[in-house]
Amino acid sequence: MNSAASDALVLDTAAQDLLFREAHTAHAFTDEPVSDEQVQAIYDLVKYAPTGLNAQPLRIVLVRSPEGRERLLPHMNDGNRAKTAAAPLVAILAADHEFHEHLPTQFPVVPNAKDFFTERPGREAAARFQASLQAAYFLLGIRAAGLAAGPMGGYNGAAIDKEFFGDGEHSVLMVVNIGKPGENASYPRGPRLSYDEVVTTV
Ligand SMILES: Cc1cc2nc3c(=O)[nH]c(=O)nc-3n(C[C@H](O)[C@H](O)[C@H](O)COP(=O)(O)O)c2cc1C
């Protein structure tokens, strides 16, 4: 199933394996804690990955305390609840619809990026799209730290938005369990579409 390493890539084979070929979505974790320093190192790496207009709408809530878990767990789907309760660290990844308030006033191609978005229809959709890109970068950053990620979309999103943000201006994109993979942490690799199924050239 896995394709072999290719000489066309400059990233060394071990890093390719760590990030992609050997990495799996994790559904079980060891007890080893995940520190705030690790999460900061992950964010400080992946923040350099691109977003449209440098918008950066991703916001992250780290759910570490028992009280925080109690607020989150009732809103997770049944099949996701136990592993979310047991994971060393859980991150709620959300889009900030008011991201434009944080944009710098000067941007090379749009002189006033904040004004560009202020009255713009579709700003929420833009926030969700750009933050989803950042969420994917974050998942790879977790792998780069030698950890495994268990992203989940099975939850009551409206309830999580209300519980953790409450301002109507944030929408959860995924909840991610983070830690070292435990026993039987992953499912067998599902098939991936081949290059020829996905890529056309005109
Ligand atoms: C956005 C997103 C949402 C997901 N939602 C769930 C979920 O609610 N529950 C679950 O068990 N797995 C969930 N998954 C895990 C996927 O099924 C898994 O990443 C995919 O099958 C690839 O598995 P692999 O990394 O082992 O190859 C989700 C993954 C992503 C990226």
Side-chain angles (χ1 to χ4, degrees):
M1 174 91 42
N2 291 348
S3 354
S6 164
D7 291 342
L9 303 176
V10 296
L11 193 69
D12 68 65
T13 305
Q16 294 172 32
D17 288 342
L18 180 75
L19 294 176
F20 297 103
R21 265 187 302 268
E22 302 292 329
H24 264 280
T25 300
H27 302 274
F29 301 88
T30 69
D31 291 338
E32 192 174 320
V34 177
S35 68
D36 290 335
E37 290 71 22
Q38 285 172 295
V39 180
Q40 177 152 7
I42 291 165
Y43 179 73
D44 282 339
L45 178 67
V46 303
K47 70 184 180 186
Y48 292 108
T51 52
L53 271 181
N54 202 21
Q56 304 168 76
L58 178 69
R59 303 292 178 263
I60 302 172
V61 178
L62 298 179
V63 183
R64 190 183 281 292
S65 65
E67 297 75 24
R69 296 285 168 136
E70 287 309 309
R71 292 171 58 196
L72 176 62
L73 292 178
H75 309 308
M76 300 304 295
N77 285 3
D78 290 348
N80 289 329
R81 193 169 296 120
K83 58 187 172 185
T84 305
L89 184 65
V90 183
I92 299 171
L93 307 192
D96 179 1
H97 311 160
E98 301 282 273
F99 66 93
H100 60 302
E101 296 293 340
H102 305 275
L103 287 173
T105 49
Q106 291 299 314
F107 188 81
V109 289
V110 181
N112 195 331
K114 180 175 166 178
D115 290 350
F116 176 79
F117 277 111
T118 298
E119 299 299 331
R120 195 173 172 80
R123 192 177 70 232
E124 178 176 336
R128 291 182 63 86
F129 174 62
Q130 301 296 341
S132 296
L133 293 178
Q134 290 184 281
Y137 304 142
F138 187 72
L139 296 180
L140 291 178
I142 290 169
R143 292 175 172 186
L147 298 167
M152 295 166 290
Y155 48 63
N156 180 339
I160 291 179
D161 293 347
K162 189 158 175 253
E163 177 66 38
F164 288 91
F165 302 103
D167 62 356
E169 293 299 346
H170 292 75
S171 48
V172 61
L173 299 167
M174 64 183 79
V175 175
V176 186
N177 293 330
I178 307 172
K180 282 269 166 69
E183 295 219 351
N184 301 318
S186 57
Y187 301 146
R189 182 73 86 197
R192 299 302 201 251
L193 297 180
S194 70
Y195 180 86
D196 290 337
E197 289 172 299
V198 172
V199 180
T200 51
T201 304
V202 294

